[in-house]
Amino acid sequence: MVGAVAMMLGATFAQAQESSTNRVDAMTDWSVFEGQNPRECWAVTTYKESVNTKDGRVVAVTRGEILLMVFFRPEAGVNGQVAFTGGYPFAQGSTVNVTVDGTELEMYTEGEWAWPATPQDDAKIVTAMKRGSNAVLTAVSSRGTTTKDTFSLLGFTAAVEDAETRCKS
């Protein structure tokens, strides 16, 4: 199931990147996308700051897309699923630490994707993000590099509520 979710998220975002015509709105630092077949809506943003370290030293690394998203896919029962891709394969068995204005939460990893363990954990992260100003996601790559990505939450609440509303109709 987890692998299927990772594949679905990867495929969904790849489709969004290929054609930006399904971007339907933008709220400050967040964008809203809507797709068909299957019906899905999501809010997404990229990082504002990224620091990569190895053995305690800042290092330059090449990474793919670094994105934080919240998905709605009514036919699959997905309602507000948080997902993060760090632009690299995560260390096997690792977790991503999510800190929103002092509140710490955790996401589990598989390949290049991370998400909360349960829908209840998704809801906790979304609630924290609605109340916060920044989200900091700290993870470890398969090569042992620690990444610390800071995301702005300006526009988050409006974007997530827009994505949710679009997928209810």
Side-chain angles (χ1 to χ4, degrees):
M1 170 74 174
V2 171
V5 171
M7 287 174 47
M8 174 200 72
L9 292 175
T12 296
F13 192 71
Q15 292 165 355
Q17 287 299 95
E18 287 173 15
S19 172
S20 62
T21 60
N22 58 352
R23 183 170 119 164
V24 293
D25 213 340
M27 284 83 169
T28 314
D29 292 327
W30 285 76
S31 293
V32 178
F33 287 80
E34 185 174 357
Q36 304 297 330
N37 297 325
R39 178 119 176 90
E40 57 193 357
C41 307
W42 63 99
V44 62
T45 192
T46 191
Y47 68 96
K48 290 292 182 180
E49 179 183 30
S50 183
V51 178
N52 308 294
T53 59
K54 191 161 187 172
D55 301 323
R57 293 188 314 268
V58 174
V59 295
V61 297
T62 301
R63 295 168 66 183
E65 294 280 355
I66 303 167
L67 301 166
L68 182 58
M69 302 172 241
V70 179
F71 278 90
F72 298 87
R73 186 179 256 183
E75 291 91 25
V78 174
N79 187 27
Q81 181 179 48
V82 179
F84 168 64
T85 183
Y88 59 80
F90 293 108
Q92 190 168 359
S94 68
T95 58
V96 174
N97 181 36
V98 180
T99 304
V100 180
D101 294 346
T103 300
E104 290 197 28
L105 302 148
E106 190 173 60
M107 298 170 77
Y108 295 89
T109 64
E110 182 175 318
E112 294 188 11
W113 289 95
W115 53 87
T118 67
Q120 293 79 13
D121 290 342
D122 281 311
K124 287 178 189 174
I125 291 175
V126 168
T127 297
M129 289 171 66
K130 283 182 176 181
R131 294 178 181 155
S133 58
N134 288 300
V136 179
L137 280 72
T138 305
V140 178
S141 76
S142 60
R143 294 182 178 178
T145 303
T146 298
T147 60
K148 184 176 178 181
D149 302 312
T150 302
F151 297 86
S152 167
L153 297 176
L154 292 174
F156 174 77
T157 299
V160 166
E161 289 175 356
D162 184 23
E164 182 176 25
T165 298
R166 288 174 186 280
C167 267
K168 280 188 176 177
S169 51

